[in-house]
């Protein structure tokens, strides 16, 4: 119901009031928006739904570039900068962890890296947590097929690929990213990437180069040959 004063308002006065109300509403919406944006932090923790997994949402930052910069710095300086974080993986896309959803989503998601004229060698790494309905072999096969369909010149390389497609399944969510230097940066392991080549070789003999490995085998062979000669002489 209108008051007596409002009933007496002319048409022009009512239009002015409507304009004032609209301006007031716009101002209020703007204030709410500004308040919400201030609450959004640059880095914000989000519940991941899995033990020992922390998910950090970024605001206005490319996660692939950020994580690559951190690992590159640690790889160069060999300075250990964390005691509790084992691996740091960027996640730049998510979808439902069902094969049809993943296939539909990755057809577009992979384009910046693999759609012609873009191309590169790649590998796919897969890990599932709190999820048992997905098949590792099926996921890798289907996603590799999609990469190949975007450009036939994309080739699989399990030793030193240009790109590594990281697939992390957490409950019913599929987290995806395409990263560089996955092998060089020790599978994005912050504890391993700071180790020197010498330390790494001592702890991981399998990481020796083929040439180093052949030298070791050759030395062992010479020792065996020398030992067999000594045994032969003793028998004589």
């Amino acid at each position: 119901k209108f008051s007596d004063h409002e009933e007496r308002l002319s048409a022009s006065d009512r239009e002015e009031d409507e304009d004032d109300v609209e301006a007031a509403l716009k101002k209020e919406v703007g204030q709410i928006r500004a308040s919400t944006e201030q609450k959004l932090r640059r880095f914000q923790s989000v519940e991941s739904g899995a033990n020992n997994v922390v998910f950090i949402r970024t605001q206005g930052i490319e996660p692939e570039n950020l994580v690559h910069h951190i690992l590159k710095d640690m790889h160069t300086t060999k300075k250990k900068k964390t005691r509790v974080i084992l691996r740091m993986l960027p996640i730049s896309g998510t979808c439902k962890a069902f094969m049809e959803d993943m296939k539909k989503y990755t057809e577009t998601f992979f384009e910046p890296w693999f759609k012609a004229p873009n191309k590169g060698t790649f590998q796919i790494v897969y890990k599932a947590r709190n999820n048992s309905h997905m098949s590792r072999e099926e996921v890798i096969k289907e996603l590799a097929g999609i990469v190949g369909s975007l450009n036939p010149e994309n080739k699989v390389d399990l030793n030193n690929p240009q790109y590594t497609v990281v697939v992390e399944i957490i409950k019913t969510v599929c987290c995806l990213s395409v990263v560089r230097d996955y092998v060089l940066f020790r599978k994005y392991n912050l504890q391993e990437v700071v180790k020197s080549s010498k330390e790494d070789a001592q702890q991981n003999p399998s990481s020796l180069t083929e040439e180093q490995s052949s030298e070791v085998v050759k030395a062992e062979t010479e020792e065996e040959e020398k030992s067999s000669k000594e045994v032969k002489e003793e028998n004589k």
Side-chain angles (χ1 to χ4, degrees):
K1 292 182 179 180
F2 293 102
S3 66
D4 293 340
H5 171 70
E6 288 172 325
E7 287 176 356
R8 288 194 298 270
L9 287 174
S10 65
S12 60
D13 289 337
R14 288 181 182 178
E15 285 178 6
E16 287 178 6
D17 279 358
E18 286 174 4
D19 291 341
D20 290 341
V21 170
E22 188 178 353
L25 281 171
K26 283 183 179 178
K27 184 179 179 181
E28 188 175 351
V29 169
Q31 288 174 343
I32 292 171
R33 225 173 246 170
S35 175
T36 304
E37 287 175 358
Q38 286 175 358
K39 289 178 182 177
L40 289 175
R41 298 180 179 180
R42 200 176 182 196
F43 301 100
Q44 190 168 4
S45 178
V46 179
E47 182 61 41
S48 69
N51 293 333
N52 302 319
V53 178
V54 178
F55 194 95
I56 306 295
R57 181 170 57 198
T58 61
Q59 184 74 11
I61 296 172
E62 290 295 333
E64 299 103 323
N65 295 336
L66 174 65
V67 175
H68 188 273
H69 176 80
I70 291 171
L71 289 178
K72 184 178 180 181
D73 175 65
M74 294 179 72
H75 181 264
T76 304
T77 61
K78 298 300 180 185
K79 288 183 180 178
K80 191 173 182 178
K81 299 183 179 181
T82 174
R83 291 187 297 111
V84 295
I85 300 175
L86 181 64
R87 298 177 74 207
M88 185 178 283
L89 291 172
I91 301 299
S92 49
T94 59
C95 64
K96 291 181 181 178
F98 297 96
M99 201 63 253
E100 289 305 312
D101 294 276
M102 292 169 64
K103 285 164 67 176
K104 185 177 179 181
Y105 182 75
T106 53
E107 284 174 358
T108 304
F109 177 76
F110 287 153
E111 287 183 356
W113 298 276
F114 301 115
K115 186 176 181 180
N118 298 326
K119 63 179 181 178
T121 56
F122 71 97
Q123 68 170 343
I124 298 174
V125 294
Y126 173 92
K127 187 175 183 66
R129 295 180 177 86
N130 300 353
N131 180 297
S132 58
H133 74 270
M134 297 296 294
S135 165
R136 178 180 179 275
E137 290 74 18
E138 184 187 2
V139 170
I140 292 176
K141 180 182 177 182
E142 293 291 346
L143 297 190
I146 291 171
V147 173
S149 68
L150 291 172
N151 188 340
E153 293 187 30
N154 293 320
K155 302 297 180 184
V156 174
D157 183 349
L158 301 180
N159 296 317
N160 191 26
Q162 288 175 267
Y163 302 110
T164 295
V165 178
V166 177
V167 183
E168 291 271 332
I169 306 290
I170 301 175
K171 290 190 174 180
T172 59
V173 179
C174 172
C175 302
L176 292 160
S177 61
V178 179
V179 301
R180 296 168 289 142
D181 299 319
Y182 189 75
V183 176
L184 177 66
F185 294 157
R186 301 291 190 269
K187 299 181 180 180
Y188 278 37
N189 187 311
L190 273 63
Q191 305 299 326
E192 294 293 324
V193 77
V194 296
K195 292 180 180 179
S196 65
S197 300
K198 187 175 181 181
E199 287 177 329
D200 190 57
Q202 288 174 345
Q203 295 189 15
N204 301 294
S206 59
S207 66
L208 292 170
T209 63
E210 290 183 6
E211 186 178 351
Q212 289 173 319
S213 180
S214 70
E215 287 178 359
V216 172
V217 172
K218 186 179 178 184
E220 289 177 353
T221 306
E222 288 175 352
E223 289 295 324
E224 288 176 4
E225 186 178 350
K226 183 179 178 183
S227 176
S228 92
K229 283 182 180 177
E230 288 175 354
V231 171
K232 190 175 179 182
E233 287 175 359
E234 285 177 4
N235 288 338
K236 286 180 180 179

